Amino acid sequence: LAVVDVASGKTTNLLGDWPYEPESIEWLGAGKLAMSASIGGRTALFHVTTGGQRTEVLGGRRRLSGFAFDPAKKLVAYVGTSMTKPTELFVANADGTGERQLTRFNEALTKEVAFSDAERLVYPSVGGREIEGWLMKPYGWQPGKKYPVVLYIHGGPHSAYGENWFDEFQNLAGAGMYVLFTNPRGSSGYGGEFTYSTRGRWFDEDYEDLMKAVDLVARRPDVDSTRMGVTGGSYGGVMTAWVTVKTNRFKAAQTDRMISNWWSWYGSSDAQGLTEYEFLGKPWDNPTLYDTLSPIRYVRKVRTPTLIVQSEEDFRTPMTDAEQWFVGLRK
């Protein structure tokens, strides 16, 4: 985030070495701006002065979005959600005080359905890197009992899970399972260096980040480590396949919007730019990387029963990848 003096052209960086990335900005007047940013899995609104002083005015364990200020810059409206509460509209004073919830679209639902909360985990991984994750309790959790756990892997990989309501997690928790979800290396919300640290290195440290979380949770006395599942969509789908290539510790897997063969994916997807950047070129420029990162090359190692879910009209992750994985597993 920078300001430029129009007369002299002098540019001032207002954030210094702050690792996070601005998402929206608004002039408040009197040498002050409002700026929103993802801080890992949560969102915060800050005041930033043209001298570089930064103050968090709205935040907490939740996701906030759609910030809009009134013409006088006295009020700010925004959408808010947390782990157990679907999105609603809020308004507050521009300094973060006097917050009020304006809508109650989901009030009847939240009275009827017992949504599960999640414990936030911060754990060390490869190279001492700190990784953020969450563990959602199964509905009806009772002390002294052991429960199965599902590792849920997000897509992207440059996206993130966080402090927001998500129906897919609640479905599994409602079925009596722990849900483990994390933001491994490659996730957004932790600064550009973290987000792009996996470039040319997919399924390396990011895989280890996921397994470190599983190791941590599997030691809990209320988790049945003999009944663990793994699932995810898009990048999470191909990573799920990769997990089953690397380990047999999971009792079941579900690949959603998966990729099995980066060569054929490149020729049939609508998003070639992803691997052109992440895999350091086109397949014929860097064939070794496209080969070694294709789960289909190692399908003979898979022993995990797998459910494959793919959509005919999903042009990002074409049907052919799921068909190749299906045939490979069946053979």
Side-chain angles (χ1 to χ4, degrees), residues 22-59:
E23 293 172 356
S24 65
I25 54 174
E26 181 84 17
W27 276 109
L28 299 179
K32 186 183 291 184
L33 302 97
M35 173 193 75
S36 66
S38 292
I39 311 299
R42 69 184 187 94
T43 313
L45 183 70
F46 297 87
H47 285 180
V48 184
T49 70
T50 51
Q53 292 178 305
R54 186 178 63 256
T55 305
E56 183 174 329
V57 297
L58 283 168

Side-chain angles (χ1 to χ4, degrees), residues 86-195:
T87 50
E88 300 286 1
L89 181 64
F90 294 81
V91 68
N93 297 321
D95 64 1
T97 62
E99 182 180 71
R100 292 180 291 123
Q101 183 176 329
L102 298 185
T103 63
R104 303 194 181 275
F105 296 123
N106 297 291
E107 195 169 73
L109 180 67
T110 54
K111 286 180 179 178
E112 181 183 347
V113 179
F115 293 127
S116 293
D117 205 346
E119 173 188 350
R120 180 174 174 267
L121 310 172
V122 178
Y123 59 95
S125 187
V126 179
R129 173 74 78 172
E130 193 174 84
I131 304 297
E132 185 178 30
W134 295 264
L135 183 64
M136 181 174 285
K137 269 189 174 180
Y139 171 71
W141 180 91
Q142 296 176 11
K145 290 187 64 176
K146 285 182 176 286
Y147 295 88
V149 61
V150 175
L151 171 66
Y152 221 108
I153 307 170
H154 70 63
H158 309 316
S159 63
Y161 287 142
E163 300 282 359
N164 56 279
W165 184 86
F166 190 32
D167 60 328
E168 294 179 21
F169 296 163
Q170 296 293 346
N171 288 339
L172 290 172
M177 307 177 201
Y178 267 112
V179 187
L180 172 62
F181 48 106
T182 75
N183 287 335
R185 264 165 270 217
S187 302
S188 55
Y190 302 86
E193 188 276 326
F194 186 93
T195 299

Side-chain angles (χ1 to χ4, degrees), residues 255-305:
T255 63
D256 189 12
R257 314 187 299 284
M258 69 96 65
I259 298 157
S260 62
N261 183 343
W262 287 110
W263 281 85
S264 60
W265 173 88
Y266 185 88
S268 52
S269 172
D270 67 355
Q272 288 83 9
L274 172 67
T275 55
E276 287 173 355
Y277 181 77
E278 293 291 331
F279 294 179
L280 312 175
K282 301 174 181 66
W284 43 89
D285 300 325
N286 200 350
T288 300
L289 204 56
Y290 278 80
D291 272 342
T292 57
L293 295 181
S294 291
I296 197 71
R297 303 293 184 230
Y298 319 99
V299 68
R300 68 176 67 86
K301 297 182 178 182
V302 179
R303 296 292 180 271
T304 309

